[in-house]
Amino acid sequence: MTPRTTPRPVRRLLGLAALLGLVLASCRDELPQSSLNPAGPQARTIDGLFTPVFWIAAGVFVVVEGAILFAALRYRSRNGRVRNPVQVHGNTRLEIVWTVIPAVILAIIAVPTVRTIFALAEPPDDPDTVNIEVIAHQWWWEFRYPELGIVTGNEMYMPVQRPVHLELHSAEVADSGADRSAIPVIHSFWIPRLGGKQDMVPGRVAAMTLEADEPGTYPGQCAEFCGLSHANMRFRAIAVSDADFDAWVQSMRDTAAGPPEEPAEGEPMTPEQEGEILFGKFTTGDFPAGFSCFACHAVDANLGEDTKPGQTTAVGPNLARFGERQTLGAGIFENTEENLRRWLDDPRAMKPGAIMPDYGLSEQQIDALVAYLMSLQ
Ligand code: CUA
């Protein structure tokens, strides 16, 4: 049997198509997660360093590759040539030249690099700065606004054209009440269009300043391998006008818990009411009577009085105003009834390794919880 090979014209065509695809891919103008598409002063500062370094590197590439090509073609083996070209191994002058030139290039690049690192580390002195504590969990994000007294999960609201100073922590203490064995892990905070990456190391506090020029949604993600669902540890920064930000803060403060709404005399319970009761207390499968979603998730966004900076007891994301969220499962799924239903049915099927297990909820219980959670807005 002769091996089947692709005919040369077809191979050429395939190669051309691949090249064309690669080139055309750069035509996409919507670049939600490209650091080459900066959307704030810090990201522009980084881009301003990247661009000259890129062109210097491109120049080095052209010179080095050009020299290799030249040498390979000029001194290639030809018919009738018997003598080897002159060998330059051990040529001291050449060795010095190609050691000194890269050293000088690196020294030149080091100046703006170090300057940029220090500039980005400078905390903002703008009195309008919004301070946010970010706590990375396996695998979701807690965002606390200590001065505003509120907390949220996975979607970080920020006002446009105002510096946001982030204090970055990694959750490290085994949270009580859940079947988890929390291992301290390193995460990394990254919103490509707004700034660089910053590692979040357990036991250390890192900081970062960001600012968005325009209102919009800026996707971010964990950029350091932190376990099974590392790739599913995403989030969004949602930049809004000052007025919208204040309205959001107020709406979050208004989520202070009240008692479940009782159905009116003689009226049947609505699915929302059923869901609310279920959220606070349910009995199913292996879980004891009185076990509740509340054990891990709050629906009140107000920070407790005794909250300590960077220390968290949250097991799952705060779900205040969940119905308004764009995504669920830490930025990985669109927040639709359909997806929420799938999530409640079996969270680990959607997010491998999630702490939240399959509680064996019935169709009716899922319907009620979906109705309740979506009504939180
Ligand atoms: Cu957190 Cu990767």
Side-chain angles (χ1 to χ4, degrees), residues 223-309:
E224 179 76 39
F225 182 72
C226 56
L228 198 56
S229 265
H230 153 69
N232 297 323
M233 187 172 169
R234 303 188 205 163
F235 64 99
R236 291 180 174 206
I238 300 170
V240 293
S241 68
D242 268 342
D244 287 350
F245 182 71
D246 292 343
W248 176 77
V249 169
Q250 193 52 52
S251 77
M252 292 299 270
R253 285 179 179 156
D254 291 344
T255 57
E261 233 180 274
E262 291 291 323
E265 190 75 24
E267 294 273 317
M269 261 200 281
T270 63
E272 283 97 323
Q273 286 164 333
E274 256 178 69
E276 184 169 8
I277 292 166
L278 202 56
F279 193 89
K281 179 176 71 180
F282 67 77
T283 309
T284 176
D286 298 336
F287 294 89
F291 189 90
S292 74
C293 309
F294 268 132
C296 304
H297 297 282
V299 288
D300 175 356
N302 290 281
L303 273 176
E305 295 281 305
D306 52 352
T307 309
K308 295 188 183 66

XYZ file of all heavy atoms in Angstrom, residues 223-309:
652
model
N -4.767 34.800 36.194
C -3.674 34.536 35.259
C -2.561 33.700 35.890
O -1.419 33.757 35.460
C -3.119 35.857 34.731
N -2.902 32.963 36.931
C -1.899 32.099 37.564
C -2.594 30.787 37.888
O -3.650 30.790 38.510
C -1.402 32.771 38.856
C -0.379 31.975 39.625
C 1.007 32.027 38.986
O 1.401 33.093 38.496
O 1.665 30.979 38.959
N -1.993 29.682 37.473
C -2.665 28.396 37.673
C -2.956 28.180 39.155
O -2.056 28.228 39.982
C -1.833 27.238 37.125
C -2.549 25.931 37.289
C -3.640 25.637 36.499
C -2.169 25.027 38.265
C -4.344 24.454 36.674
C -2.865 23.841 38.440
C -3.946 23.558 37.639
N -4.232 27.934 39.475
C -4.642 27.864 40.879
C -5.530 26.658 41.132
O -6.275 26.630 42.092
C -5.354 29.159 41.263
S -6.755 29.549 40.197
N -5.457 25.663 40.283
C -6.253 24.456 40.499
C -7.157 24.160 39.327
O -7.119 24.825 38.289
N -7.997 23.155 39.550
C -8.799 22.581 38.474
C -9.547 23.604 37.619
O -9.543 23.520 36.405
C -9.796 21.588 39.101
C -10.440 20.577 38.171
C -9.376 19.777 37.441
C -11.351 19.659 38.966
N -10.212 24.566 38.264
C -11.023 25.508 37.481
C -10.338 26.866 37.308
O -11.013 27.889 37.150
C -12.416 25.657 38.082
O -13.312 24.770 37.431
N -9.028 26.856 37.293
C -8.292 28.121 37.077
C -8.805 28.859 35.835
O -9.045 30.063 35.863
C -6.794 27.822 36.951
C -6.040 28.812 36.138
N -5.821 30.101 36.561
C -5.471 28.718 34.907
C -5.143 30.753 35.627
N -4.927 29.934 34.609
N -8.994 28.095 34.750
C -9.428 28.737 33.506
C -10.863 29.239 33.600
O -11.314 30.020 32.766
C -9.291 27.769 32.330
N -11.590 28.785 34.618
C -12.972 29.229 34.805
C -13.072 30.318 35.865
O -14.141 30.584 36.389
C -13.850 28.049 35.216
C -13.904 26.994 34.143
O -13.918 27.322 32.956
N -13.905 25.737 34.542
N -11.950 30.918 36.195
C -11.953 31.950 37.232
C -11.867 33.308 36.549
O -10.826 33.926 36.468
C -10.761 31.721 38.167
C -10.767 32.622 39.376
S -9.495 32.140 40.536
C -9.542 33.564 41.616
N -13.011 33.717 36.035
C -13.036 34.987 35.304
C -13.845 36.009 36.080
O -14.474 35.684 37.072
C -13.657 34.775 33.935
C -12.898 33.700 33.162
C -13.360 33.591 31.758
N -13.099 32.263 31.252
C -13.666 31.765 30.171
N -14.544 32.498 29.491
N -13.388 30.561 29.762
N -13.847 37.211 35.615
C -14.650 38.262 36.245
C -14.808 39.406 35.253
O -14.274 39.341 34.145
C -14.007 38.753 37.551
C -12.670 39.423 37.381
C -12.560 40.810 37.360
C -11.525 38.668 37.236
C -11.330 41.436 37.201
C -10.279 39.281 37.079
C -10.185 40.651 37.068
N -15.559 40.403 35.675
C -15.737 41.566 34.812
C -15.578 42.832 35.616
O -16.043 42.903 36.754
C -17.138 41.558 34.199
C -17.249 40.435 33.217
C -18.577 40.346 32.570
N -18.467 39.309 31.563
C -19.197 39.232 30.475
N -20.138 40.115 30.262
N -19.004 38.272 29.609
N -14.940 43.822 35.005
C -14.959 45.158 35.580
C -15.996 45.917 34.774
O -15.965 45.892 33.539
C -13.592 45.813 35.454
N -16.940 46.527 35.474
C -17.996 47.256 34.792
C -17.839 48.732 35.138
O -18.064 49.141 36.278
C -19.383 46.713 35.200
C -19.465 45.219 34.819
C -20.500 47.510 34.527
C -20.671 44.506 35.374
N -17.384 49.502 34.153
C -17.138 50.924 34.385
C -18.390 51.711 34.006
O -18.943 51.512 32.930
C -15.938 51.385 33.565
N -18.830 52.554 34.933
C -20.058 53.325 34.709
C -19.822 54.790 35.094
O -18.819 55.105 35.742
C -21.233 52.750 35.555
C -21.637 51.363 35.069
C -20.893 52.691 37.033
N -20.747 55.637 34.717
C -20.637 57.063 35.056
C -20.730 57.221 36.577
O -21.201 56.321 37.273
C -21.760 57.843 34.387
O -22.989 57.476 34.989
N -20.299 58.383 37.071
C -20.385 58.657 38.512
C -21.803 58.456 39.044
O -22.000 57.843 40.084
C -19.966 60.105 38.787
C -18.479 60.192 39.095
O -17.895 59.140 39.429
O -17.917 61.299 38.992
N -22.779 58.979 38.283
C -24.170 58.904 38.739
C -24.618 57.438 38.811
O -25.249 57.024 39.792
C -25.073 59.689 37.802
N -24.263 56.661 37.788
C -24.652 55.255 37.783
C -23.938 54.476 38.892
O -24.494 53.548 39.468
C -24.344 54.603 36.423
C -25.307 55.060 35.343
O -26.313 55.726 35.699
O -25.060 54.775 34.158
N -22.705 54.874 39.163
C -21.967 54.195 40.224
C -22.638 54.455 41.577
O -22.870 53.517 42.356
C -20.505 54.661 40.242
C -19.676 53.966 41.284
C -19.327 52.630 41.145
C -19.259 54.642 42.428
C -18.579 51.970 42.110
C -18.509 53.991 43.401
C -18.161 52.657 43.242
N -22.980 55.722 41.819
C -23.645 56.050 43.090
C -24.968 55.307 43.206
O -25.325 54.822 44.284
C -23.885 57.566 43.198
C -22.571 58.333 43.343
O -21.552 57.681 43.675
O -22.558 59.558 43.103
N -25.692 55.224 42.096
C -26.982 54.518 42.116
C -26.755 53.035 42.420
O -27.510 52.426 43.182
C -27.695 54.679 40.771
N -25.705 52.473 41.844
C -25.402 51.058 42.096
C -25.061 50.841 43.576
O -25.567 49.907 44.206
C -24.244 50.591 41.202
C -23.820 49.192 41.485
C -24.452 48.048 41.094
C -22.675 48.769 42.247
N -23.774 46.938 41.578
C -22.678 47.357 42.278
C -21.646 49.459 42.909
C -21.691 46.623 42.953
C -20.669 48.732 43.564
C -20.701 47.325 43.579
N -24.226 51.743 44.123
C -23.843 51.609 45.536
C -25.098 51.653 46.405
O -25.289 50.813 47.293
C -22.850 52.729 45.950
C -22.657 52.750 47.459
C -21.518 52.548 45.237
N -25.968 52.613 46.104
C -27.189 52.735 46.904
C -28.048 51.472 46.771
O -28.564 50.958 47.755
C -27.977 53.988 46.484
C -29.083 54.366 47.450
C -28.588 54.475 48.901
O -27.610 55.165 49.195
N -29.231 53.761 49.822
N -28.155 50.965 45.547
C -28.995 49.781 45.338
C -28.413 48.578 46.093
O -29.147 47.727 46.586
C -29.125 49.468 43.845
O -27.959 48.839 43.360
N -27.087 48.522 46.198
C -26.465 47.427 46.947
C -26.718 47.598 48.448
O -26.966 46.632 49.159
C -24.960 47.369 46.668
C -24.617 46.962 45.251
S -25.220 45.315 44.794
C -23.824 44.303 45.272
N -26.673 48.846 48.919
C -26.953 49.090 50.354
C -28.391 48.720 50.688
O -28.688 48.291 51.805
C -26.724 50.565 50.696
C -25.256 50.904 50.781
C -25.093 52.368 51.088
N -23.692 52.725 51.200
C -23.219 53.950 51.017
N -24.053 54.939 50.725
N -21.941 54.195 51.142
N -29.258 48.898 49.727
C -30.682 48.621 49.955
C -31.006 47.138 50.037
O -32.171 46.772 50.192
C -31.534 49.246 48.835
C -31.524 50.764 48.922
O -31.134 51.296 49.984
O -31.893 51.417 47.926
N -29.994 46.295 49.898
C -30.287 44.861 49.916
C -30.287 44.291 51.331
O -30.336 43.082 51.502
C -29.277 44.069 49.066
O -27.957 44.351 49.557
C -29.376 44.427 47.600
N -30.184 45.164 52.340
C -30.208 44.696 53.731
C -31.385 43.732 53.898
O -32.495 44.016 53.454
C -30.340 45.873 54.677
N -31.101 42.593 54.501
C -32.101 41.519 54.549
C -33.315 41.877 55.392
O -33.193 42.423 56.470
C -31.446 40.272 55.085
N -34.472 41.567 54.861
C -35.699 41.657 55.634
C -36.246 40.248 55.784
O -35.706 39.322 55.169
N -37.288 40.065 56.552
C -37.861 38.730 56.666
C -38.516 38.334 55.341
O -38.952 39.210 54.592
C -38.906 38.886 57.775
C -39.229 40.336 57.824
C -38.019 41.066 57.331
N -38.568 37.037 55.038
C -39.222 36.621 53.786
C -40.641 37.156 53.723
O -41.341 37.226 54.727
C -39.221 35.096 53.870
C -38.192 34.745 54.875
C -38.080 35.907 55.818
N -41.008 37.559 52.517
C -42.350 38.113 52.335
C -43.391 37.003 52.478
O -43.289 35.969 51.821
C -42.430 38.686 50.915
C -42.897 40.112 50.860
C -42.930 40.571 49.414
O -41.875 41.023 48.907
O -44.010 40.430 48.800
N -44.344 37.207 53.318
C -45.401 36.201 53.508
C -46.434 36.353 52.390
O -46.722 37.470 51.963
C -46.106 36.444 54.853
C -45.246 36.153 56.072
C -44.969 34.669 56.241
O -45.881 33.862 55.959
O -43.833 34.319 56.624
N -46.989 35.242 51.907
C -48.069 35.391 50.927
C -49.296 36.014 51.604
O -49.510 35.831 52.801
C -48.352 33.954 50.495
C -47.771 33.085 51.558
C -46.679 33.854 52.226
N -50.047 36.789 50.830
C -51.249 37.414 51.381
C -52.232 36.336 51.822
O -52.199 35.206 51.313
C -51.878 38.327 50.332
N -53.042 36.708 52.763
C -54.040 35.783 53.339
C -54.805 35.041 52.223
O -55.384 35.665 51.351
C -55.024 36.621 54.185
C -55.985 35.823 55.036
C -55.317 35.218 56.270
O -54.287 35.749 56.713
O -55.825 34.178 56.760
N -54.777 33.715 52.261
C -55.537 32.926 51.299
C -54.895 32.787 49.921
O -55.365 32.021 49.094
N -53.816 33.549 49.663
C -53.149 33.484 48.357
C -52.129 32.330 48.356
O -51.505 32.075 49.384
C -52.371 34.788 48.097
C -53.220 36.018 47.948
C -53.685 36.214 46.513
O -52.850 36.018 45.614
O -54.869 36.544 46.318
N -51.936 31.676 47.206
C -50.862 30.671 47.158
C -49.503 31.368 47.106
O -49.425 32.520 46.700
C -51.150 29.914 45.860
C -51.898 30.880 45.010
C -52.625 31.832 45.929
N -48.470 30.660 47.524
C -47.134 31.236 47.482
C -46.676 31.393 46.035
O -46.925 30.512 45.204
C -46.148 30.324 48.201
C -45.848 30.771 49.608
S -44.308 30.059 50.186
C -44.838 28.422 50.612
N -46.008 32.501 45.733
C -45.427 32.651 44.396
C -44.134 31.832 44.354
O -43.562 31.537 45.404
C -45.081 34.123 44.103
O -44.082 34.534 45.038
C -46.296 35.026 44.215
N -43.675 31.496 43.143
C -42.394 30.768 43.056
C -41.252 31.535 43.736
O -40.390 30.942 44.361
C -42.157 30.654 41.547
C -43.493 30.791 40.919
C -44.297 31.671 41.821
N -41.265 32.885 43.617
C -40.214 33.685 44.270
C -40.215 33.461 45.775
O -39.162 33.296 46.395
C -40.417 35.190 44.019
C -40.004 35.675 42.656
C -41.174 35.754 41.701
O -42.066 34.864 41.762
O -41.216 36.699 40.892
N -41.433 33.469 46.351
C -41.528 33.280 47.802
C -41.076 31.883 48.198
O -40.357 31.709 49.179
C -42.970 33.532 48.267
C -43.326 35.007 48.271
C -44.827 35.248 48.349
O -45.615 34.410 47.915
N -45.206 36.374 48.894
N -41.493 30.904 47.396
C -41.061 29.531 47.658
C -39.533 29.447 47.618
O -38.904 28.832 48.468
C -41.613 28.603 46.581
C -42.788 27.760 47.006
C -43.271 26.936 45.831
O -42.534 26.025 45.421
O -44.369 27.237 45.305
N -38.974 30.095 46.591
C -37.519 30.080 46.424
C -36.809 30.761 47.575
O -35.765 30.305 48.033
N -37.383 31.848 48.046
C -36.764 32.590 49.148
C -36.707 31.737 50.409
O -35.701 31.700 51.112
C -37.532 33.886 49.405
C -36.869 34.729 50.474
C -37.441 36.121 50.586
O -38.470 36.391 49.932
O -36.859 36.932 51.325
N -37.788 31.035 50.654
C -37.830 30.167 51.835
C -36.832 29.010 51.668
O -36.069 28.693 52.575
C -39.267 29.652 52.073
C -40.155 30.844 52.490
C -39.300 28.557 53.136
C -41.625 30.565 52.437
N -36.820 28.474 50.467
C -35.906 27.374 50.169
C -34.445 27.818 50.321
O -33.594 27.080 50.816
C -36.161 26.936 48.724
C -35.752 25.537 48.315
C -36.392 24.499 49.213
C -36.173 25.297 46.861
N -34.169 29.040 49.873
C -32.811 29.585 49.932
C -32.323 29.629 51.385
O -31.165 29.375 51.679
C -32.800 30.995 49.331
C -31.423 31.526 49.051
C -30.820 31.294 47.832
C -30.737 32.267 50.005
C -29.546 31.782 47.563
C -29.462 32.756 49.747
C -28.862 32.514 48.517
N -33.259 29.944 52.273
C -32.902 30.056 53.689
C -32.894 28.717 54.408
O -32.299 28.587 55.477
N -33.531 27.723 53.836
C -33.667 26.458 54.576
C -34.205 25.394 53.641
O -35.259 25.540 53.066
C -34.654 26.678 55.725
C -34.917 25.455 56.571
C -35.822 25.797 57.729
C -37.247 26.062 57.263
N -38.169 26.391 58.357
N -33.453 24.346 53.432
C -34.049 23.266 52.659
C -33.595 21.908 53.148
O -32.589 21.759 53.822
C -33.822 23.424 51.154
C -32.399 23.279 50.697
C -31.810 22.016 50.596
C -31.657 24.385 50.326
C -30.518 21.880 50.140
C -30.350 24.241 49.874
C -29.776 22.992 49.783
N -34.343 20.915 52.805
C -34.059 19.549 53.206
C -34.023 18.728 51.923
O -34.985 18.722 51.174
C -35.208 18.999 54.069
O -35.449 19.933 55.099
C -34.847 17.662 54.664
N -32.905 18.106 51.690
C -32.847 17.290 50.490
C -31.678 16.319 50.570
O -30.660 16.605 51.198
C -32.721 18.169 49.220
O -32.577 17.297 48.105
C -31.522 19.081 49.266
N -31.815 15.189 49.948
C -30.738 14.206 49.823
C -29.973 13.988 51.113
O -30.551 13.717 52.162
N -28.657 14.185 51.032
C -27.787 13.938 52.181
C -27.742 15.118 53.137
O -27.039 15.078 54.137
C -26.346 13.695 51.692
C -26.265 12.468 50.804
O -27.148 11.606 50.941
O -25.327 12.397 49.991
N -28.431 16.217 52.785
C -28.252 17.400 53.590
C -29.308 17.511 54.667
O -30.482 17.261 54.432
C -28.210 18.638 52.696
C -27.003 18.599 51.839
C -27.040 17.983 50.595
C -25.800 19.060 52.321
C -25.898 17.874 49.834
C -24.649 18.951 51.560
C -24.696 18.363 50.309
N -28.869 17.855 55.875
C -29.798 17.844 57.005
C -30.853 18.931 56.865
O -30.650 19.923 56.165
C -28.888 18.130 58.198
C -27.709 18.839 57.635
C -27.514 18.306 56.248
N -31.945 18.724 57.566
C -33.002 19.726 57.582
C -32.396 21.025 58.069
O -31.575 21.039 58.985
C -34.104 19.283 58.534
N -32.790 22.110 57.444
C -32.300 23.401 57.896
C -31.007 23.819 57.221
O -30.533 24.925 57.397
N -30.416 22.934 56.432
C -29.240 23.339 55.665
C -29.687 24.408 54.679
O -30.790 24.335 54.162
C -28.666 22.153 54.904
C -27.343 22.468 54.283
C -26.170 22.241 54.972
C -27.276 23.044 53.020
C -24.953 22.560 54.411
C -26.057 23.369 52.456
C -24.890 23.126 53.151
N -28.834 25.388 54.421
C -29.340 26.457 53.563
C -28.287 26.993 52.615
O -27.090 26.872 52.845
C -29.856 27.605 54.426
O -28.765 28.290 54.976
N -28.773 27.609 51.547
C -27.886 28.306 50.617
C -27.158 29.424 51.372
O -26.027 29.783 51.037
C -28.698 28.909 49.469
S -29.810 27.762 48.653
N -27.867 29.959 52.398
C -27.310 31.039 53.209
C -25.994 30.658 53.879
O -25.210 31.517 54.255
C -28.291 31.417 54.328
C -29.217 32.522 53.948
C -30.569 32.410 54.182
C -28.725 33.688 53.371
C -31.430 33.436 53.828
C -29.575 34.714 53.023
C -30.943 34.588 53.252
N -25.778 29.345 54.073
C -24.543 28.927 54.730
C -23.329 29.434 53.951
O -22.276 29.683 54.527
C -24.498 27.408 54.855
N -23.472 29.564 52.633
C -22.334 29.984 51.802
C -22.570 31.293 51.054
O -21.619 31.973 50.671
C -22.000 28.903 50.780
S -21.668 27.298 51.522
N -23.834 31.620 50.777
C -24.119 32.807 49.957
C -24.982 33.804 50.728
O -26.021 33.427 51.269
C -24.918 32.417 48.711
C -24.187 31.498 47.783
N -23.210 31.932 46.927
C -24.308 30.170 47.575
C -22.752 30.901 46.227
N -23.405 29.819 46.603
N -24.549 35.060 50.721
C -25.394 36.108 51.281
C -26.145 36.776 50.127
O -25.714 36.708 48.970
C -24.542 37.131 51.998
N -27.276 37.398 50.451
C -27.982 38.193 49.436
C -28.053 39.656 49.878
O -28.655 40.486 49.221
C -29.410 37.652 49.159
C -29.329 36.344 48.383
C -30.203 37.486 50.436
N -27.401 39.937 51.008
C -27.315 41.290 51.537
C -25.895 41.775 51.236
O -24.926 41.138 51.637
C -27.565 41.231 53.050
C -27.374 42.574 53.731
O -26.974 43.540 53.047
O -27.621 42.651 54.951
N -25.782 42.884 50.515
C -24.461 43.353 50.094
C -23.757 44.186 51.155
O -22.619 44.613 50.948
C -24.589 44.160 48.809
N -24.423 44.438 52.283
C -23.792 45.297 53.286
C -22.701 44.546 54.043
O -22.904 43.420 54.499
C -24.851 45.817 54.261
C -25.762 46.821 53.584
O -25.408 47.978 53.418
N -26.928 46.358 53.143
N -21.538 45.186 54.160
C -20.418 44.577 54.882
C -20.708 44.641 56.377
O -21.210 45.637 56.876
C -19.135 45.373 54.624
C -18.293 45.032 53.402
C -17.132 46.019 53.311
C -17.763 43.614 53.462
N -20.365 43.583 57.076
C -20.578 43.581 58.529
C -19.668 44.587 59.216
O -18.650 45.002 58.667
N -20.051 44.973 60.426
C -19.280 45.933 61.218
C -17.886 45.399 61.535
O -16.911 46.145 61.577
C -19.999 46.166 62.567
C -21.357 46.824 62.438
C -21.238 48.324 62.235
O -20.588 48.980 63.058
O -21.780 48.826 61.229
N -17.819 44.078 61.749
C -16.564 43.486 62.239
C -15.673 42.982 61.102
O -14.753 42.219 61.330
C -16.873 42.343 63.217
C -17.857 41.340 62.616
O -18.386 41.620 61.523
O -18.073 40.278 63.234
N -15.968 43.410 59.873
C -15.162 42.955 58.740
C -13.722 43.453 58.863
O -13.490 44.641 59.069
C -15.763 43.503 57.430
O -17.141 43.179 57.414
C -15.097 42.887 56.225
N -12.799 42.529 58.746
C -11.381 42.927 58.828
C -10.779 42.941 57.424
O -11.103 42.073 56.611
C -10.614 41.944 59.708
C -11.074 41.968 61.149
C -10.156 41.129 62.036
C -10.674 41.093 63.449
N -11.982 40.373 63.551
N -9.904 43.913 57.178
C -9.333 44.018 55.831
C -8.717 42.699 55.368
O -7.923 42.100 56.084
C -8.255 45.095 55.977
C -8.629 45.857 57.197
C -9.376 44.921 58.097
